[in-house]
Amino acid sequence: MMNFGDMHEKCRQCSFDYARIDTEIWNSSSSRRAMCPVCGWTRFEEHNWESDTPTLVKKGESYGFGAYRLVPPGGYSGYNAFHAAPSEEVVNNLKELLSVKGWKGYLTLWDEKAKRPRLIAGSPLQRFESAMEEL
C-alpha cells in the first residue's frame, strides 16, 4: 500500500508542503523527481539497479524561477518548472493560453525580492472549478 507521504515532500525553496514526486523506470534504471508546483524548485535522482542494491548515477537540485500547469480544452494536464528566468515572450504565450485561448491552469514566477512565488495568470483550482460547472 502506498503512503500519501510517498507522493510529495516539502519544497526546499518556498517551503510548500506538497512538492510532487514523479518516478520512472526503464530497463535497469530509474529516476525520481520532486518538483514544487508553486515555485519550480526541483530535485532529481537517477539510479542503476543492475545489482541487488541501487547505485546513484546522477543527482541534482535546481532553483525554481516559477512553475506552470496547462490543461488544454478537453485534454490532460502537466506541471512544469522554470529553472532560469523565462523570457517575456514565453510568459506572454502562457498568459495568452490561460486568458484568451481557453486553457485552464496557472502560471507563477519567483519574486526574488520578496523571496516568494507570485501568481501571474490563471488559478491552481481552475481545473476543479470547470469540472464542477460541467456537473
Side-chain angles (χ1 to χ4, degrees):
M1 182 169 131
M2 179 178 269
N3 182 337
F4 183 65
D6 295 336
M7 297 171 59
H8 62 83
E9 67 181 63
K10 190 172 191 78
C11 174
R12 294 183 185 178
Q13 183 174 322
C14 74
S15 299
F16 182 63
D17 281 335
Y18 301 101
R20 301 171 44 87
I21 295 176
D22 295 314
T23 58
E24 251 181 70
I25 188 164
W26 60 99
N27 298 325
S28 60
S29 298
S30 68
S31 70
R32 178 182 185 275
R33 178 182 83 145
M35 189 203 96
C36 180
V38 176
C39 72
W41 166 85
T42 303
R43 189 164 56 121
F44 176 82
E45 297 172 354
E46 189 173 313
H47 292 88
N48 184 296
W49 293 82
E50 289 181 5
S51 62
D52 288 339
T53 57
T55 304
L56 182 64
V57 176
K58 187 177 182 182
K59 184 177 183 176
E61 192 166 325
S62 298
Y63 186 82
F65 287 82
Y68 59 95
R69 180 179 192 196
L70 295 174
V71 183
Y76 296 96
S77 70
Y79 292 87
N80 219 324
F82 295 114
H83 295 128
S87 69
E88 187 175 336
E89 180 183 12
V90 168
V91 170
N92 288 337
N93 285 338
L94 292 172
K95 285 167 76 174
E96 181 181 10
L97 288 172
L98 293 166
S99 61
V100 177
K101 304 270 181 160
W103 290 46
K104 302 293 183 192
Y106 65 90
L107 166 65
T108 66
L109 294 177
W110 184 256
D111 182 334
E112 187 59 39
K113 219 178 210 182
K115 299 287 187 210
R116 57 175 250 162
R118 300 258 184 226
L119 183 64
I120 303 301
S123 166
L125 299 178
Q126 270 185 324
R127 175 178 163 234
F128 301 107
E129 290 167 2
S130 66
M132 294 299 278
E133 290 168 5
E134 295 170 5
L135 295 178

